[in-house]
């Protein structure tokens, strides 16, 4: 009479193993997608910093009789009105941080890297780790977060670090492993296999919730990366025009209306780029923030106008 329960236990053990392996496969794929999203975001933000924000700060720092806060950037770049006022303030703070560094940086193409390196040497990440000891995306995120007023935990704007994208799924390898191979512990015991099946069902349900959150964050991160790249592509070449202007005359008060307009508009674009970079993409639960969506849409609208 034990043959039927024994065979049922073995059949269920095979099903449990297949379910477990499928969960492992899905978790690896999602983790890889999150990692690539983090890397792409880091590349876009680094390019935005090195190709536009730092060079703009280096050039702007040479202008006399003008303060960043005094420029009517919203009038020149009306898309900024779509960005949260607090985030605008953080963006300007980030640019001011760059200006303070750029004022003593070497002029030219290397200035962006010089500013980035100097900030890294001086600043400390929100974790308490010296930024100079970090590398790659971690250093970029930490530096940009410092320029944005510090991490979220410290009350600053933080930066849309890719590690947050993993928020809803990072625990799943542990959860999956927790029930993994339990089906092998007693393949003859139907009750144990039923318990494992129930645990796997629960983990699978939780994983789907986490996957939905992670995929939403990945999409939002892709949008942020795309917006920064497009804004830089449309604006970086204009920095040479600004540099030529300042080389001939660095007194803002004597500029013509069109010359002042160039300075003001590029300052507005820099504020928008800094806002997209500084805006946290997800909240503490791994859900995409409304603020991130509206900020990215503002960036898209600005890119569309610049391209037309």
């Amino acid at each position: 009479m034990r043959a039927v329960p024994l065979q049922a236990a073995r059949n269920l053990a095979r099903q449990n193993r297949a379910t477990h392996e499928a969960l492992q496969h899905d978790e690896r794929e999602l983790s890889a997608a999150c990692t690539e999203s983090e890397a792409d975001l880091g590349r876009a933000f680094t390019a935005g910093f090195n190709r536009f924000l730092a060079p703009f700060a280096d050039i702007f720092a040479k202008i006399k009789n003008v303060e960043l806060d005094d420029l009517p950037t919203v009038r020149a770049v009306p898309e900024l009105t779509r960005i949260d006022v607090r985030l605008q303030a953080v963006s300007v703070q980030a640019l001011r941080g760059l200006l303070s560094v750029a004022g003593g940086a070497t002029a030219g193409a290397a200035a962006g890297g010089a500013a980035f390196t100097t900030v890294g040497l001086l600043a400390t990440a929100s974790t308490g780790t010296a930024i100079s000891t970090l590398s790659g995306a971690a250093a970029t995120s930490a530096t940009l977060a410092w320029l944005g007023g510090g991490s979220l935990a410290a009350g600053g704007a933080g930066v849309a670090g890719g590690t947050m994208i993993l928020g809803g799924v990072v625990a799943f390898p542990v959860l999956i492993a927790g029930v993994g191979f339990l089906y092998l512990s007693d393949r003859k015991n139907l009750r144990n296999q039923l318990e494992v099946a129930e645990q796997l069902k629960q983990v699978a349900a939780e994983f789907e919730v986490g996957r939905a959150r992670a995929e939403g964050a990945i999409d939002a991160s892709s949008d942020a990366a795309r917006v920064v790249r497009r804004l830089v592509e449309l604006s970086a070449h204009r920095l040479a025009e600004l540099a030529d202007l300042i080389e001939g005359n660095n007194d803002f008060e004597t500029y013509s209306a069109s010359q002042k307009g160039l300075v003001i508009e590029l300052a507005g674009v820099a504020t928008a780029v800094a806002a997209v970079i500084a805006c946290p993409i997800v909240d503490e639960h791994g859900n995409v923030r409304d603020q991130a969506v509206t900020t990215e849409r503002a960036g898209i609208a600005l890119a569309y106008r610049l391209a037309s």
Side-chain angles (χ1 to χ4, degrees):
M1 295 296 294
R2 286 182 52 82
V4 172
L6 178 59
Q7 187 59 42
R10 288 176 175 173
N11 290 341
L12 187 53
R14 283 194 291 269
Q15 293 176 24
N16 286 340
R17 178 172 185 171
T19 300
H20 178 264
E21 290 177 349
L23 280 170
Q24 285 183 312
H25 175 269
D26 290 348
E27 185 278 326
R28 285 194 297 268
E29 282 199 337
L30 185 59
S31 180
C34 289
T35 299
E36 174 53 31
S37 179
E38 174 182 0
D40 185 60
L41 196 65
R43 288 190 294 267
F45 284 3
T46 301
F49 184 94
N50 288 330
R51 290 188 58 204
F52 188 73
L53 290 182
F56 168 79
D58 180 59
I59 297 169
F60 187 89
K62 299 172 185 175
I63 307 177
K64 295 192 306 182
N65 298 319
V66 63
E67 293 293 336
L68 189 65
D69 293 341
D70 297 333
L71 295 178
T73 52
V74 173
R75 187 165 56 197
V77 182
E79 291 82 3
L80 288 174
T81 60
R82 306 185 190 184
I83 297 174
D84 183 82
V85 173
R86 291 170 298 178
L87 185 57
Q88 286 185 51
V90 167
S91 302
V92 172
Q93 179 183 344
L95 292 175
R96 281 203 304 266
L98 277 176
L99 286 171
S100 67
V101 176
T106 304
F116 197 54
T117 301
T118 304
V119 170
L121 290 173
L122 296 176
T124 301
S126 59
T127 58
T129 303
I131 293 177
S132 58
T133 66
L134 302 175
S135 62
T140 301
S141 294
T143 302
L144 292 170
W146 180 81
L147 290 171
S151 70
L152 287 172
V159 83
T163 51
M164 292 189 70
I165 298 172
L166 284 166
V169 297
V170 70
F172 286 107
V174 176
L175 291 176
I176 294 171
V179 293
F181 303 108
L182 284 179
Y183 49 80
L184 293 176
S185 63
D186 188 357
R187 288 181 294 178
K188 299 180 182 180
N189 191 315
L190 181 59
R191 185 177 64 183
N192 286 352
Q193 291 302 324
L194 287 169
E195 290 176 357
V196 170
E198 188 60 32
Q199 291 176 18
L200 285 168
K201 182 179 178 180
Q202 181 178 349
V203 169
E206 293 177 5
F207 180 76
E208 287 306 313
V209 173
R211 171 151 56 187
R213 287 175 176 165
E215 288 176 348
I218 288 172
D219 288 343
S221 297
S222 297
D223 289 342
R226 191 159 45 245
V227 167
V228 168
R229 286 191 174 104
R230 186 59 175 154
L231 289 176
V232 170
E233 176 187 349
L234 292 168
S235 303
H237 69 281
R238 301 177 66 195
L239 292 174
E241 183 183 352
L242 182 62
D244 289 341
L245 169 63
I246 295 170
E247 185 177 351
N249 176 14
N250 68 345
D251 188 350
F252 184 80
E253 289 184 350
T254 65
Y255 286 174
S256 67
S258 62
Q259 289 171 333
K260 288 181 178 179
L262 174 65
V263 175
I264 295 168
E265 184 172 43
L266 286 178
V269 173
T271 302
V273 172
V276 176
I277 290 175
C279 184
I281 290 179
V282 296
D283 61 21
E284 63 274 17
H285 303 296
N287 297 313
V288 176
R289 291 175 177 268
D290 291 339
Q291 186 186 50
V293 175
T294 56
T295 302
E296 289 164 13
R297 287 177 179 171
I300 292 170
L302 174 56
Y304 181 82
R305 181 172 65 80
L306 292 174
S308 61

